[in-house]
Amino acid sequence: MKPILVKSKTGSFSLKIELPGGKQKALHSLYDPVQEAKALVERFRCDGKGLIVALGLGLGYHVNELHNKFPDTKILVIERSHKIYELAREHSPLNKINDKVKILVVDTPGEACKAITEHRLHYGFPPVRLFVLQAARAIFPNFYNPIIEEFKSITSTSHWDKLKYAKFKKNKLSILVLDFNYFLTREVKKAIKRTRHGLSIVRGSKDESPAGVLKRLFEAIIRHRPDFILTINHHGFDEEGILTSFLESIEMPVASWFVDSPNLIVKEFKKNVSPYVSIFLWDKTYEEDLRDLGFEFVHYLPLATDEKLFKPLQLTPRLITSLGAEVGFVGNSMVRPAEEKLEKLPSEIHPVVNRISDILKSERISYNDAVKRLGEEDRALISSLSVEQRIALEGAALWKATMHYRLSCVKKLESFHPTIHGDEGWHSLMNGNCKIRPPLHYYKQLPKFYNVCKVNFNATSLQMVEGVNQRVFDVPACGGFLITDHQKAIESLFKPGKEIITYREQEEIPELVGFYIKNSYARKEV
């Protein structure tokens, strides 16, 4: 599409666009584009509050009039064509406009939506008022229509006023859950329903843009008026803090429950810090890290179990025979997760990963404490990495250390020919004195396995310095028997030796397992 500069009847420049096939369409009046712009802006309903987003630049007559009418209002102009922008710079009144007007030329609707959202964040997340140059929309419908659709639901200031309201005024709460298909989200939603509090859900996907999540969240808040928003592992929140900024601007409380290392998720993304965000941690070790980041409200909230799912079951003899095991372990070998993180790092960092991993697998301490034990050269090398690389480094070290730790623990079971349900990585680690079977479906198969396994074994991921994992709750809920490594948190959750059996050193594993395999009464007592 070719822009053609023409003179209007009144002497001002106007603009035509030559379409494929030779047909031409005018972007402005061919008689008096200045007067036309004044009329368009006069019909534009806006109180001057918020951010005006003008879709379509043309020669900028309407932009100039918007600025004249709303001199104190920020104006963001989105244009599709670089050639149109160059003509506007040369032949329009835009040179009279101050820094309250920003013009962006972008290639796709997705880039435009992202830019609009980022500018709202920069300006304190005001409401958006769209001004559409309809002639530009008619010429570039595939570009401008998706943008209009994306922001249609959040452009009204009357809607914006509905986002702020009093909360926690009733005994029955309204809770909005961000659901990104993480397995524990299902349990959280079921628990909320059981407590008879109100539940609403905004679903999303891992790689979705902040604008997409924001649009659905905006609509859900107006419709359901939640008392707070609940998310697991900060799902739904972006690195730039766009969602955090929006929720803070409407004074919306957020509860974020971390059931994985928060350092791998928000440690480097400080724009997510807000006084309206309360952090809950499945491991107390990370409390200081999160407070150092700037979060005011940090609480310990251990894992639990869904006793409606994990419970004693009456199983058929055939199923017991096919699924049962004297000693069983369910878990990832961590071979592939460690490799994936290493692939994101330059090769010269790999020896540093190995050194951190060696420290972690020899002593259960935090990743930060392990890094402090490195030499100055290693620490300087880590400091030189990008944010994404530092996060990958921490993940690689933790997963590699966990792989070696789990392997050394499971190898202590070899004389009992254990059954391992996990990933393909186990085939490369074990020498054949065990049965390696595919992963179990968490909801359909895992409760059955815990019911028919004589001794369920556990070796906790090293991202948990003090905490205990899901298995420590799920197995006993099934009436199953568990032997697990001794984590500090166990002492406040169970009576060790009576309600749970633990090993403090790997050398204890064969004797403990052997004793409880032979003593069904002792297993039942525990």
Side-chain angles (χ1 to χ4, degrees):
M1 293 187 184
K2 179 182 176 182
I4 303 170
L5 200 66
V6 297
K7 276 287 184 87
S8 70
K9 296 293 184 182
T10 57
S12 302
F13 283 108
S14 189
L15 200 59
K16 288 184 177 181
I17 304 296
E18 186 176 297
L19 306 176
K23 186 178 180 180
Q24 295 181 356
K25 284 189 175 183
L27 264 179
H28 303 291
S29 167
L30 298 177
Y31 180 77
D32 189 346
V34 176
Q35 196 58 42
E36 176 196 48
K38 289 180 179 179
L40 290 174
V41 172
E42 193 60 36
R43 291 197 296 268
F44 178 51
R45 294 173 179 261
C46 179
D47 57 7
K49 297 178 180 178
L51 171 68
I52 295 176
V53 176
L55 299 181
L57 171 62
L59 291 178
Y61 294 111
H62 57 293
V63 178
N64 191 52
E65 292 303 324
L66 284 168
H67 179 58
N68 289 338
K69 187 174 181 179
F70 307 105
D72 297 321
T73 303
K74 301 285 187 182
I75 300 173
L76 177 65
V77 185
I78 300 295
E79 174 52 51
R80 168 68 180 82
S81 167
H82 290 270
K83 291 181 180 179
I84 290 176
Y85 173 70
E86 291 302 326
L87 287 171
R89 288 283 301 267
E90 188 176 350
H91 300 286
S92 78
L94 291 176
N95 57 351
K96 301 175 185 177
I97 292 173
N98 64 24
D99 60 1
K100 288 191 179 294
V101 178
K102 178 77 173 178
I103 301 171
L104 293 179
V105 183
V106 293
D107 296 322
T108 68
E111 290 177 55
C113 291
K114 181 181 179 183
I116 294 169
T117 304
E118 288 175 349
H119 276 74
R120 295 179 74 197
L121 171 64
H122 180 72
Y123 296 138
F125 232 94
V128 169
R129 302 306 310 273
L130 287 182
F131 180 98
V132 183
L133 185 61
Q134 294 298 343
R137 180 184 185 184
I139 295 170
F140 301 105
N142 293 335
F143 179 76
Y144 289 113
N145 284 340
I147 302 171
I148 293 167
E149 189 63 31
E150 185 76 26
F151 286 93
K152 185 169 61 178
S153 64
I154 57 175
T155 57
S156 168
T157 50
S158 62
H159 276 178
W160 193 264
D161 291 339
K162 296 177 183 177
L163 293 169
K164 285 188 179 182
Y165 49 84
K167 302 169 183 71
F168 300 101
K169 294 297 182 182
K170 299 177 182 178
N171 290 331
K172 183 178 179 180
L173 299 176
S174 173
I175 304 169
L176 193 157
V177 173
L178 295 180
D179 185 353
F180 278 65
N181 204 32
Y182 188 77
F183 81 99
L184 273 182
T185 310
R186 175 170 166 176
E187 279 62 53
V188 167
K189 291 187 295 186
K190 287 168 65 178
I192 291 171
K193 288 178 181 178
R194 273 189 246 164
T195 59
R196 302 189 182 280
H197 291 298
L199 171 66
S200 54
I201 300 164
V202 169
R203 291 183 171 84
S205 57
K206 183 180 179 181
D207 299 320
E208 187 175 5
S209 70
V213 178
L214 186 61
K215 177 185 175 183
R216 293 194 301 281
L217 188 60
F218 188 103
E219 294 168 346
I221 290 171
I222 290 175
R223 187 181 307 118
H224 300 290
R225 294 171 64 85
D227 290 290
F228 71 97
I229 291 170
L230 174 61
T231 181
I232 293 180
N233 283 357
H234 237 60
H235 285 154
F237 287 77
D238 56 286
E239 296 172 7
E240 294 301 316
I242 291 172
L243 200 65
T244 299
S245 181
F246 163 64
L247 295 173
E248 184 171 334
S249 72
I250 63 170
E251 301 175 0
M252 174 62 68
V254 176
S256 185
W257 186 24
F258 282 94
V259 295
D260 286 300
S261 168
N263 288 343
L264 299 177
I265 302 168
V266 299
K267 181 180 179 181
E268 300 289 348
F269 305 128
K270 296 178 176 61
K271 291 180 181 178
N272 276 290
V273 175
S274 167
Y276 286 89
V277 176
S278 294
I279 301 293
F280 296 85
L281 300 168
W282 90 140
D283 190 314
K284 283 185 177 181
T285 311
Y286 296 94
E287 286 185 9
E288 186 177 345
D289 290 348
L290 273 295
R291 289 196 176 95
D292 288 344
L293 270 178
F295 289 100
E296 295 180 48
F297 308 106
V298 184
H299 311 275
Y300 171 54
L301 181 64
L303 293 170
T305 190
D306 179 359
E307 78 282 9
K308 303 290 183 183
L309 175 66
F310 291 93
K311 59 186 178 181
L313 299 172
Q314 294 294 326
L315 301 175
T316 64
R318 182 179 178 182
L319 186 62
I320 293 172
T321 301
S322 63
L323 192 62
E326 284 211 322
V327 181
F329 175 75
V330 180
N332 196 300
S333 69
M334 305 309 290
V335 170
R336 187 59 194 147
E339 289 175 348
E340 288 174 351
K341 295 294 184 182
L342 279 172
E343 288 166 4
K344 297 179 180 180
L345 295 168
S347 57
E348 60 266 24
I349 298 295
H350 292 192
V352 179
V353 173
N354 293 335
R355 284 191 280 275
I356 299 173
S357 173
D358 289 341
I359 296 169
L360 290 170
K361 71 186 182 187
S362 63
E363 184 180 353
R364 196 173 282 264
I365 58 175
S366 71
Y367 170 83
N368 289 344
D369 287 339
V371 169
K372 291 175 184 176
R373 297 189 182 183
L374 295 174
E376 288 185 17
E377 188 175 335
D378 282 347
R379 294 201 301 273
L381 196 55
I382 292 172
S383 298
S384 69
L385 298 175
S386 68
V387 168
E388 290 75 15
Q389 288 174 329
R390 287 200 296 273
I391 292 172
L393 171 63
E394 183 167 350
L398 283 168
W399 302 155
K400 191 165 187 178
T402 297
M403 177 188 73
H404 288 296
Y405 171 70
R406 279 188 175 169
L407 177 62
S408 60
C409 289
V410 171
K411 277 187 171 292
K412 298 293 183 182
L413 304 172
E414 282 187 311
S415 61
F416 305 102
H417 303 285
T419 296
I420 300 173
H421 281 278
D423 60 293
E424 289 294 317
W426 284 111
H427 290 284
S428 64
L429 297 178
M430 299 299 289
N431 297 321
N433 292 329
C434 61
K435 301 171 188 173
I436 299 174
R437 294 179 176 173
L440 294 170
H441 189 281
Y442 184 80
Y443 298 104
K444 296 177 181 178
Q445 298 173 304
L446 195 54
K448 295 175 184 176
F449 183 72
Y450 288 161
N451 266 266
V452 299
C453 187
K454 276 187 181 179
V455 173
N456 290 280
F457 184 77
N458 183 44
T460 309
S461 167
L462 295 185
Q463 68 170 324
M464 303 184 77
V465 181
E466 296 183 7
V468 295
N469 61 20
Q470 198 73 43
R471 197 172 297 108
V472 175
F473 300 95
D474 291 343
V475 173
C478 289
F481 176 78
L482 177 76
I483 292 177
T484 184
D485 40 5
H486 192 96
Q487 293 285 90
K488 186 176 179 180
I490 281 178
E491 296 166 12
S492 63
L493 296 165
F494 298 88
K495 296 177 181 176
K498 185 176 182 181
E499 296 176 334
I500 195 165
I501 301 302
T502 65
Y503 59 92
R504 293 178 182 269
E505 303 292 339
Q506 295 178 23
E507 287 67 29
E508 300 175 60
I509 293 172
E511 184 179 349
L512 282 172
V513 172
F515 173 81
Y516 282 103
I517 282 178
K518 296 174 183 176
N519 290 274
S520 60
Y521 178 79
R523 292 199 308 272
K524 186 177 179 181
E525 282 292 291
V526 175

